[in-house]
Amino acid sequence: MKGFWKSQKNLSRLERKLAKQKTRVELTSGRIAEEVYNRLIELEDIEAIRKLKAAYCDACDDDHDGDAVAALFVKNGTWQQIGGTKNADDRKRIGKEEIADFMFGLREAGFIKRSSHIVTNPVISVQGDQASGLWKFLMLYTHQNGTYFRIIGRYEDNYVKRNKEWFFKSLTAHVEENGPYQNGDLRD
């Protein structure tokens, strides 16, 4: 009978050790799950920002649809181009109305027949409901006179998340180079 009580005592000690280990495993698992969840949210936010940038490029390439571009910005968002083109000054456009008017102004100027915005090398940093992004861009467009142009530069963006959706807080296009790259019809 003595052996029975001794083994019961050892068993309860072992059970206490196992209970402590189980608690540690649960705490560690919880921390790991939380870390994985936070990383997943960050990746989802980065992907949503990539899609926001793609929507911006699509709206610009849709004959500079001012309403579609402005819809991607917060109420008092800003759009600015610095350097390099005859058709846009360095003035900061503030608010959806000014942004839309500027884009429609490019359309109404009538010099762009077709365009394609190509963005690359994104570096996106998310901090909660705020984020920033650096991008390289190449814009190709066909002038109404048949000349082919290219604009090379970089974007510096700031984003904000509102009601689980990302918007531009500011977009700055730094034009580094702008000019014709080929004259005439490419089909010749």
Side-chain angles (χ1 to χ4, degrees):
M1 206 60 176
K2 265 187 172 177
F4 172 79
W5 292 113
K6 192 173 184 182
S7 67
Q8 287 297 97
K9 198 174 185 181
N10 285 338
L11 184 59
S12 97
R13 199 176 315 155
L14 181 59
E15 287 173 334
R16 284 193 303 267
K17 273 187 168 182
L18 286 173
K20 278 184 182 179
Q21 277 187 322
K22 182 181 175 191
T23 301
R24 281 190 222 131
V25 167
E26 287 171 354
L27 288 173
T28 303
S29 296
R31 281 187 227 131
I32 291 170
E34 184 178 346
E35 186 177 323
V36 168
Y37 174 78
N38 290 337
R39 287 181 180 184
L40 178 62
I41 293 299
E42 182 179 11
L43 290 173
E44 287 177 342
D45 286 339
I46 289 170
E47 184 60 22
I49 290 167
R50 288 177 196 260
K51 288 179 179 179
L52 174 68
K53 191 64 162 186
Y56 168 80
C57 293
D58 286 345
C60 288
D61 293 337
D62 185 18
D63 199 18
H64 289 85
D65 184 338
D67 292 332
V69 171
L72 304 172
F73 285 78
V74 293
K75 183 179 177 181
N76 291 319
T78 63
W79 185 97
Q80 183 176 21
Q81 176 180 298
I82 298 175
T85 70
K86 298 174 190 172
N87 301 304
D89 57 38
D90 289 355
R91 188 173 64 83
K92 188 179 284 190
R93 275 62 180 189
I94 301 170
K96 291 178 179 254
E97 187 176 336
E98 279 190 37
I99 293 168
D101 288 348
F102 173 75
M103 291 294 162
F104 283 131
L106 290 174
R107 174 190 284 182
E108 291 163 9
F111 64 92
I112 296 176
K113 187 174 177 182
R114 282 182 299 279
S115 69
S116 180
H117 285 68
I118 303 160
V119 292
T120 66
N121 304 41
V123 178
I124 300 168
S125 176
V126 178
Q127 306 86 29
D129 288 346
Q130 305 282 323
S132 61
L134 302 173
W135 305 75
K136 300 267 186 185
F137 77 85
L138 171 65
M139 179 192 169
L140 303 173
Y141 71 92
T142 306
H143 194 280
Q144 289 294 353
N145 69 10
T147 305
Y148 300 99
F149 281 82
R150 52 93 185 101
I151 300 173
I152 299 170
R154 58 192 165 80
Y155 286 115
E156 289 183 28
D157 300 339
N158 288 295
Y159 316 98
V160 63
K161 192 181 208 182
R162 302 264 167 89
N163 299 320
K164 299 182 180 184
E165 189 174 350
W166 286 97
F167 295 92
F168 287 100
K169 185 175 181 181
S170 66
L171 182 153
T172 304
H174 296 272
V175 175
E176 297 167 347
E177 196 173 310
N178 178 20
Y181 68 92
Q182 183 171 350
N183 295 322
D185 191 344
L186 290 176
R187 293 172 285 182
D188 289 345

Coordinates of all heavy atoms in Angstrom, one line a residue, residues 61 64 112-118 137-143 147-152 179 181:
D61 N -5.3 56.3 -67.0 CA -5.3 55.8 -68.4 C -6.6 55.7 -69.0 O -6.7 55.4 -70.2 CB -4.6 54.4 -68.4 CG -3.1 54.5 -68.0 OD1 -2.5 55.5 -68.2 OD2 -2.6 53.4 -67.5
H64 N -7.8 60.2 -68.2 CA -7.7 61.0 -67.0 C -9.1 61.3 -66.4 O -9.5 62.5 -66.4 CB -6.9 62.3 -67.3 CG -5.4 62.0 -67.5 ND1 -4.9 61.6 -68.7 CD2 -4.4 61.9 -66.6 CE1 -3.6 61.3 -68.6 NE2 -3.3 61.5 -67.3
I112 N -3.3 64.2 -75.2 CA -3.0 62.7 -75.0 C -4.1 61.9 -75.7 O -5.3 62.0 -75.4 CB -3.0 62.4 -73.5 CG1 -1.9 63.1 -72.8 CG2 -2.9 60.9 -73.3 CD1 -1.8 62.9 -71.3
K113 N -3.6 61.1 -76.6 CA -4.5 60.2 -77.4 C -4.8 58.9 -76.6 O -5.9 58.5 -76.4 CB -3.9 59.9 -78.7 CG -4.8 59.1 -79.7 CD -4.2 59.0 -81.0 CE -5.0 58.2 -82.0 NZ -4.3 58.1 -83.3
R114 N -3.7 58.3 -76.1 CA -3.7 57.1 -75.3 C -2.6 57.2 -74.3 O -1.5 57.8 -74.6 CB -3.5 55.8 -76.1 CG -4.7 55.3 -76.9 CD -4.4 54.1 -77.7 NE -3.3 54.2 -78.6 CZ -3.5 54.7 -79.9 NH1 -4.6 55.1 -80.2 NH2 -2.4 54.7 -80.7
S115 N -2.7 56.5 -73.1 CA -1.6 56.5 -72.2 C -1.6 55.2 -71.4 O -2.6 54.5 -71.3 CB -1.8 57.7 -71.2 OG -2.9 57.5 -70.3
S116 N -0.5 54.9 -70.8 CA -0.3 53.7 -70.0 C 0.7 54.1 -68.8 O 1.8 54.4 -69.1 CB 0.2 52.6 -70.8 OG 0.4 51.4 -70.0
H117 N 0.2 54.0 -67.6 CA 1.0 54.1 -66.4 C 1.5 52.8 -66.0 O 0.7 51.9 -65.8 CB 0.2 54.8 -65.3 CG -0.1 56.2 -65.5 ND1 -1.0 56.7 -66.4 CD2 0.3 57.3 -64.8 CE1 -1.0 58.0 -66.3 NE2 -0.3 58.4 -65.3
I118 N 2.8 52.7 -65.8 CA 3.4 51.4 -65.4 C 4.2 51.7 -64.1 O 5.0 52.6 -64.1 CB 4.4 50.9 -66.4 CG1 3.6 50.7 -67.8 CG2 5.0 49.6 -66.0 CD1 4.5 50.6 -69.0
F137 N 7.9 54.9 -61.7 CA 6.9 54.8 -62.7 C 7.4 55.2 -64.1 O 8.4 55.9 -64.2 CB 5.7 55.7 -62.4 CG 5.8 57.2 -62.6 CD1 5.6 57.8 -63.8 CD2 6.2 58.0 -61.5 CE1 5.8 59.1 -64.0 CE2 6.3 59.4 -61.7 CZ 6.1 59.9 -63.0
L138 N 6.7 54.7 -65.0 CA 7.0 55.0 -66.4 C 5.6 55.2 -67.0 O 4.7 54.4 -66.9 CB 7.6 53.8 -67.2 CG 7.8 53.9 -68.7 CD1 8.7 55.1 -69.1 CD2 8.3 52.6 -69.2
M139 N 5.4 56.4 -67.6 CA 4.1 56.7 -68.3 C 4.5 56.8 -69.8 O 5.3 57.6 -70.2 CB 3.5 58.0 -67.8 CG 2.2 58.3 -68.5 SD 1.6 59.9 -68.2 CE 0.4 60.1 -69.3
L140 N 3.8 56.0 -70.6 CA 3.9 56.1 -72.0 C 2.6 56.7 -72.5 O 1.5 56.4 -72.1 CB 4.1 54.8 -72.6 CG 5.3 54.0 -72.1 CD1 5.3 52.6 -72.7 CD2 6.6 54.7 -72.5
Y141 N 2.7 57.7 -73.5 CA 1.5 58.2 -74.1 C 1.7 58.6 -75.5 O 2.9 58.8 -75.9 CB 0.9 59.3 -73.3 CG 1.6 60.6 -73.3 CD1 1.3 61.6 -74.2 CD2 2.6 61.0 -72.3 CE1 1.9 62.8 -74.2 CE2 3.2 62.2 -72.3 CZ 2.9 63.1 -73.3 OH 3.5 64.4 -73.3
T142 N 0.6 58.5 -76.3 CA 0.6 58.9 -77.7 C 0.0 60.3 -77.8 O -1.1 60.5 -77.3 CB -0.2 57.9 -78.5 OG1 0.3 56.6 -78.3 CG2 -0.1 58.3 -80.0
H143 N 0.8 61.2 -78.3 CA 0.3 62.6 -78.5 C -0.7 62.6 -79.7 O -0.6 61.7 -80.5 CB 1.5 63.5 -78.8 CG 1.1 65.0 -78.7 ND1 0.5 65.7 -79.7 CD2 1.4 65.9 -77.7 CE1 0.3 66.9 -79.3 NE2 0.9 67.1 -78.1
T147 N 3.2 61.6 -82.1 CA 4.5 61.4 -81.4 C 4.3 60.6 -80.1 O 3.3 60.8 -79.4 CB 5.1 62.8 -81.0 OG1 5.1 63.6 -82.2 CG2 6.4 62.7 -80.4
Y148 N 5.2 59.7 -79.9 CA 5.2 58.9 -78.7 C 6.1 59.5 -77.6 O 7.2 59.8 -77.9 CB 5.7 57.5 -79.0 CG 4.8 56.8 -80.1 CD1 5.2 56.8 -81.4 CD2 3.6 56.2 -79.7 CE1 4.4 56.2 -82.4 CE2 2.8 55.7 -80.7 CZ 3.2 55.6 -82.0 OH 2.4 55.1 -83.0
F149 N 5.5 59.7 -76.4 CA 6.2 60.3 -75.3 C 6.3 59.3 -74.2 O 5.6 58.3 -74.0 CB 5.4 61.5 -74.8 CG 5.6 62.7 -75.6 CD1 4.9 62.9 -76.7 CD2 6.5 63.7 -75.2 CE1 5.0 64.1 -77.5 CE2 6.7 64.8 -76.0 CZ 6.0 65.0 -77.1
R150 N 7.3 59.5 -73.3 CA 7.5 58.8 -72.1 C 7.9 59.8 -71.0 O 8.5 60.8 -71.2 CB 8.5 57.7 -72.2 CG 9.9 58.0 -72.8 CD 10.9 58.4 -71.7 NE 12.1 58.9 -72.3 CZ 12.4 60.1 -72.3 NH1 11.6 61.1 -71.9 NH2 13.6 60.5 -72.8
I151 N 7.3 59.5 -69.8 CA 7.7 60.2 -68.6 C 8.2 59.2 -67.6 O 7.6 58.1 -67.4 CB 6.4 60.9 -68.0 CG1 5.9 61.9 -69.0 CG2 6.8 61.6 -66.7 CD1 4.5 62.5 -68.6
I152 N 9.4 59.5 -67.1 CA 10.0 58.6 -66.1 C 10.1 59.3 -64.8 O 10.4 60.5 -64.7 CB 11.4 58.2 -66.5 CG1 11.4 57.4 -67.8 CG2 12.1 57.3 -65.5 CD1 12.7 57.2 -68.5
G179 N 9.9 63.3 -72.4 CA 10.2 63.7 -73.7 C 9.7 62.6 -74.7 O 9.3 61.5 -74.3
Y181 N 10.0 59.6 -77.4 CA 10.9 58.5 -77.6 C 10.9 57.9 -79.0 O 11.7 57.2 -79.3 CB 10.7 57.4 -76.5 CG 9.4 56.7 -76.6 CD1 9.3 55.5 -77.3 CD2 8.3 57.1 -75.9 CE1 8.1 54.8 -77.4 CE2 7.1 56.4 -76.0 CZ 7.0 55.3 -76.7 OH 5.8 54.6 -76.8

